[in-house]
Amino acid sequence: MSDELQRIMAIDDPYLLLREVTTRLADAQQEVTELARLRRRVVQDLHAQGLSYAQIAAKAGLSRGRIHQIRHTGPAPEGAFLGSGAVTVATPLRRDDERGRTVVAVDDVSSGKRLEDLARSYGLAVTSEHVPVSGEIDLNRDSLVVVCGPRMSQDMWNTYAQDPVLRWEKAEDGPWTVVDRLTGTVHRSGQDSDPARPYDIGYLGRLPRPDGKGSLLAIAGIHTQGSLGVVQLLASELNSLWGQVGDRRFSTLVGVEYDPETSEPRSVELVCPLYRHDEETTE
């Protein structure tokens, strides 16, 4: 019996006991989920290296049937792309100056909800919150996914500025763009082109936290349709993305063709490489 369990069992106050047991059960379940994810990942990695299930079983002291079961059941390893344990999804609040009130954009709500559903499908616990109009948000947290562009938050502006390859900047004629510093390509939204067309650019990256003790997942569109496109890419290609970058820092851009009536993505594709930040430099 662990010391923590003994401590909980010794609590006399029934309400405190109920609260402590509930909290401990939630923490334990998250730990079990992440251990199962890690176990499946190890088996998959060993199998990908050319070992048979029988060889893995012999070396691990388990049966071949058990190894095969682990390989095909339990939470998928690629869920770790979003985080581990409990994931927090943050979407921005906006200021409606005309009405003098705080609002949320429909596309931001959709992006947040779809990210939450995606995380839950991989066995992750999810909480949601908003980036306030002030743009101030605590980024020094584990498993944080932020859907917010640099113009809406100074904290996020500072975070995006850590990207060694892709840079947000305003064009001379006013609209926001994303510049690929390796190729010199300037990526621009179709909404800001002449003639305008239903096309946007979305950013996806894992960037360093301000405290230097981890990373956060950052998503933004030049317009809100770009964020929706990034989320659709994650929903359809998470396994491929995880296989290419794992939990390392990276960034990329997504081109999004969308329905001009509903803003729903019609097609999404990468318009630049998946830049791994431990390999890329613009020097």
Side-chain angles (χ1 to χ4, degrees):
M1 185 179 297
S2 69
D3 291 341
E4 177 66 5
L5 181 55
Q6 289 180 336
R7 181 190 70 80
I8 292 173
M9 292 180 67
I11 295 174
D12 292 328
D13 184 332
Y15 301 105
L16 176 58
L17 175 60
L18 181 59
R19 185 166 64 249
E20 289 284 327
V21 169
T22 301
T23 300
R24 180 58 185 149
L25 280 172
D27 291 344
Q29 183 57 57
Q30 289 179 11
E31 184 174 335
V32 167
T33 298
E34 291 308 315
L35 287 172
R37 193 189 313 280
L38 178 59
R39 182 175 62 176
R40 182 174 173 181
R41 175 183 173 183
V42 171
V43 171
Q44 287 187 188
D45 288 348
L46 290 172
H47 190 57
Q49 293 170 21
L51 276 72
S52 69
Y53 293 140
Q55 290 172 317
I56 298 171
K59 291 180 178 294
L62 300 170
S63 69
R64 182 185 182 283
R66 184 62 175 139
I67 294 297
H68 188 273
Q69 181 186 41
I70 291 170
R71 169 63 179 81
H72 295 284
T73 60
E78 59 264 29
F81 186 93
L82 301 172
S84 62
V87 172
T88 300
V89 177
T91 54
L93 294 174
R94 301 169 185 267
R95 181 68 180 175
D96 185 339
D97 293 327
E98 183 176 330
R99 295 180 175 83
R101 63 182 182 181
T102 300
V103 298
V104 291
V106 172
D107 292 346
D108 290 335
V109 172
S110 296
S111 292
K113 178 65 166 57
R114 292 171 191 181
L115 280 169
E116 293 171 26
D117 290 344
L118 180 63
R120 290 190 183 97
S121 74
Y122 283 96
L124 296 163
V126 181
T127 58
S128 62
E129 64 181 57
H130 290 299
V131 180
V133 174
S134 68
E136 297 177 355
I137 178 174
D138 178 12
L139 300 176
N140 296 321
R141 292 176 282 168
D142 295 333
S143 302
L144 180 63
V145 182
V146 184
V147 184
C148 181
R151 67 185 179 87
M152 300 187 67
S153 166
Q154 183 64 46
D155 290 336
M156 288 305 296
W157 172 268
N158 295 339
T159 299
Y160 286 113
Q162 302 306 306
D163 189 319
V165 184
L166 301 174
R167 181 178 66 228
W168 289 83
E169 63 179 43
K170 295 192 75 171
E172 291 185 359
D173 58 342
W176 282 91
T177 64
V178 186
V179 178
D180 185 324
R181 288 186 278 185
L182 283 180
T183 66
T185 304
V186 178
H187 295 273
R188 187 182 183 108
S189 173
Q191 292 186 39
D192 305 319
S193 302
D194 187 15
R197 64 190 181 100
Y199 176 82
D200 200 30
I201 293 293
Y203 176 102
L204 170 65
R206 184 175 292 113
L207 302 173
R209 291 172 13 180
D211 64 3
K213 297 180 180 179
S215 303
L216 60 93
L217 198 64
I219 296 171
I222 293 179
H223 299 287
T224 56
Q225 293 89 347
S227 298
L228 276 173
V230 171
V231 175
Q232 178 161 309
L233 181 79
L234 288 173
S236 61
E237 300 292 338
L238 195 63
N239 184 52
S240 175
L241 293 169
W242 170 254
Q244 294 178 73
V245 300
D247 57 6
R248 295 180 289 274
R249 291 172 184 169
F250 77 97
S251 57
T252 192
L253 296 176
V254 180
V256 186
E257 297 277 358
Y258 61 87
D259 186 323
E261 299 296 325
T262 65
S263 292
E264 285 296 319
R266 285 176 169 169
S267 66
V268 297
E269 64 175 355
L270 295 182
V271 295
C272 73
L274 282 163
Y275 290 124
R276 281 179 45 180
H277 295 172
D278 56 356
E279 297 178 349
E280 303 296 346
T281 177
T282 57
E283 297 284 329

